[in-house]
Amino acid sequence: QVQLVESGGGLVQAGGSLRLSCAVSGLTFSTYSMGWFRQAPGKEREFVATINWSSSRTSYADSVKGRFTISRDNAKNTVFLQMNTLKVEDTAVYYCAAATVAGPVQIASYYRNWGQGTQVTVSS
């Protein structure tokens, strides 16, 4: 029923940009906070960015702040992650997720629904 489908991943040179999209269905999208997480090989899944239902609040991991921008289009049931000035250490599988929470939250356990992930590889 609930589906979150990420797209837009790929291979990019360090310093380049990439935009990830996540199409959501089966949820009342506008009532959910949305988040992006990532998991690199051999590492734990980590928080990247989150946005509340109205896009009035966002939050970012320190490692991506100033480089990444999360946004959403509730009319299209889609959340985006614009990634600029990419670094090799940004290489990971990126996941979008939905949480029933009023404000943006960085804790993964608040997110009930997850996408399948999309690979982002940054080369030097």
Side-chain angles (χ1 to χ4, degrees), residues 45-63:
R45 185 173 298 184
E46 65 176 352
F47 166 78
V48 175
T50 185
I51 187 168
N52 74 336
W53 70 272
S54 66
S55 298
S56 62
R57 295 182 180 181
T58 58
S59 182
Y60 299 90
D62 289 341
S63 60

Side-chain angles (χ1 to χ4, degrees), residues 36 51 55 58 60 69-73 78-82:
W36 286 95
I51 187 168
S55 298
T58 58
Y60 299 90
T69 302
I70 188 171
S71 62
R72 67 191 294 166
D73 185 340
T78 304
V79 61
F80 305 94
L81 185 68
Q82 178 66 46

Side-chain angles (χ1 to χ4, degrees), residues 2 5-6 9 21 25 54 59 74 85 92-93 97 110 119:
V2 178
V5 181
E6 301 96 335
S21 299
S25 62
S54 66
S59 182
N74 288 348
T85 319
V93 176
Y110 278 78
Q119 177 70 48

